Structure formats: C-alpha cells, structure tokens
Amino acid sequence: MQVLERRTLTEVTGGDGGAEAAADLAFARYTHDYDDEGLESVLARARELHAEAAQAQAGERHLGLDHLRRVQDLVPEVRRLVHDRDRLDRLSDLAGVELEPYPIPTSCSGVNFYRPGQAPIALHRDGPAFVELVPLHADGGQEGGSTLVFRGPADVGAVRAAQGDLPAAELEAVPQRVGAAVLLQGRMLLHTAELLTDGHRVTLVLSLRSRAEPWKDTNTLGRLLRDDRPEDVAEAWEHDVETRQLPALRRHLLG
C-alpha cells in the first residue's frame, strides 16, 4: 500500500469532530494490492446481479443511489476481502484506530453504479463510521470522477445545501481511480459524487467501524428500513446493539 494522500478532519472540516468522531482521519487515498483477477470477477458478477435486480430497483431508493447491497453474501471474493486480516490491519493503521467489518449484513458491502448524466447521490453522511471505496471500473474523460466532500462541518453544510447555498467551490474532490482506493470517515463528512458527463464508474463499497467504539454508528433501524425489509435487518441490528454497542458504551462510560 502506498499512501497518496491523508487528510484529517481538522484539515477538511475545521474541527476534529469531538467525541462523535471515531478517529482523526477524514479520508486517505492509497494504491492497493488487491488481486486484479479477483476484482475483475467481482465486477463481472456485480454487473450480472445488477441486471437481474434492475426490475426490482425500479422504485425510489434512499439517497437516489443505484446500487447492490449485501454483496459479501453473493460474491465469494468480496466475502474474503471483507474479512481479510492483512487488509483490516493496514486500514486500521491508516485510520489510527482498530477497524472491524460492519456487522449488519445488508450494509456490510455494496457495489455502486454511476453512469453519464445520472443525478449524483444526494449530499449525505454515511451510517457506518468508515467506508472503503474501491473503484472496479472507470471510463471516460473524468477517469471515474471523484467523491466531493464539503469543506466544513457536516451539519452546517447540510443546512446550507437545503437552502440552496452550497457552491461547488466549497466541495473538495477526492479522486476515484482504478488501482487505488479511498478510506473515508463518511459519517463525519457531508459528501456526494461528482456528476459524470461522459463515462461510467462501478465502485465496491466496504463498510467498517471502530472495534473499540462500535456505538459510533448512525445506521438507526429507521435509516436501514429506507432500503431494506424489516426481516432482513431488524434481528441483526438488535443483536448488534444489545451484544456489542451497548456493552462497549457502558465500559467506556464506567471506565
């Protein structure tokens, strides 16, 4: 792994996020050493699944995102990547905190599809503390485009965006390039995707969180149910809250 760029929350937003942040990292870009043939297999299978799911996804989706969910249960190469110990160790070093795979199966991994002229995903903050973005395919003059991050506190940016007062000049571009990846503390950053004018991008998204502070998670059950059926998320979410998040928070508060 070669780190191309690492920015802290203070550098990007003007503040360290306080107790809400899981680390000081805003984002980092780095070359990865993931198996090329494995990623090609992920791309091919994701395209097949996307075509099969097109009919089912015809309705409105949360944030307007064209994506597949729960990919670790559908593509063996993704499942291996999610749990790869060397990968988790490297990303933990990069984040500055020990990371673990996201435990809610529907949100653990996904594949996002972007096409020319498609309205970008709505400005948002993520539910999981961290996401790793691994571009699988990019073409066109923008080489897959960028993730755009608001340079300021996320809550301030959200209010200004709702008022129509968030100029592009205040968004920082984080390039998405095949062969490299981005680790993003997206729960602390207001962000969106760059509009593609002449190309496509397919991105593997792997969610993570702090092992020591798993309660730093904004995926409420209500948020999860915007995309998923109760029978697909409720039991896993409740189990995680009761067996991981609340015990860890109690130890933190009483320690």
Side-chain angles (χ1 to χ4, degrees):
M1 174 191 291
Q2 177 187 359
V3 178
L4 304 173
E5 181 182 14
R6 187 187 190 278
R7 301 286 301 281
T8 67
L9 288 173
T10 299
E11 290 171 332
V12 175
T13 71
D16 63 5
E20 187 180 358
D24 75 342
L25 178 73
F27 67 84
R29 296 192 299 117
Y30 45 93
T31 59
H32 63 69
D33 58 358
Y34 303 145
D35 179 65
D36 290 339
E37 290 186 7
L39 293 183
E40 286 289 340
S41 296
V42 173
L43 175 61
R45 183 59 179 142
R47 283 172 164 163
E48 292 175 359
L49 293 166
H50 185 244
E52 294 168 5
Q55 189 74 23
Q57 292 186 1
E60 182 178 350
R61 302 300 301 268
H62 179 45
L63 301 175
L65 185 61
D66 183 9
H67 63 168
L68 299 173
R69 295 167 67 76
R70 204 171 192 149
V71 180
Q72 79 282 351
D73 291 343
L74 304 171
V75 183
E77 292 87 351
V78 174
R79 182 166 59 251
R80 287 194 291 271
L81 199 57
V82 164
H83 297 287
D84 182 84
R85 187 68 255 170
D86 288 340
R87 167 183 169 265
L88 291 171
D89 288 344
R90 289 194 297 270
L91 295 183
S92 296
D93 288 343
L94 196 55
V97 296
E98 184 179 1
L99 301 179
E100 64 180 10
Y102 198 68
I104 309 300
T106 54
S107 298
C108 177
S109 66
V111 176
N112 296 348
F113 296 82
Y114 305 90
R115 61 183 184 274
Q118 176 187 10
I121 181 174
L123 280 159
H124 67 287
R125 298 169 67 179
D126 294 334
F130 295 88
V131 293
E132 184 184 25
L133 308 174
V134 185
L136 301 173
H137 170 83
D139 56 29
Q142 293 163 278
E143 301 182 75
S146 302
T147 296
L148 303 177
V149 176
F150 173 61
R151 290 197 299 267
D155 52 354
V156 172
V159 171
R160 291 183 54 196
Q163 297 171 343
D165 181 32
L166 195 61
E170 295 187 38
L171 299 177
E172 179 166 348
V174 184
Q176 298 290 328
R177 301 291 184 263
V178 173
V182 173
L183 182 63
L184 184 80
Q185 193 174 177
R187 182 172 164 269
M188 300 300 298
L189 302 170
L190 187 71
H191 60 283
T192 183
E194 181 181 17
L195 175 68
L196 296 180
T197 59
D198 68 343
H200 299 76
R201 184 170 96 227
V202 183
T203 301
L204 174 64
V205 181
L206 305 172
S207 300
L208 307 107
R209 70 179 184 187
S210 165
R211 184 174 183 85
E213 299 179 317
W215 68 86
K216 293 185 176 181
D217 184 332
T218 319
N219 258 341
T220 64
L221 184 57
R223 178 174 176 141
L224 291 167
L225 291 177
R226 296 178 186 178
D227 262 340
D228 302 308
R229 301 176 303 175
E231 57 266 33
D232 292 332
V233 295
E235 183 176 349
W237 179 84
E238 183 178 4
H239 181 266
D240 181 61
V241 170
E242 291 182 350
T243 65
R244 287 282 288 120
Q245 293 193 37
L246 289 179
L249 181 57
R250 289 190 188 102
R251 287 194 298 271
H252 173 76
L253 294 175
L254 298 177

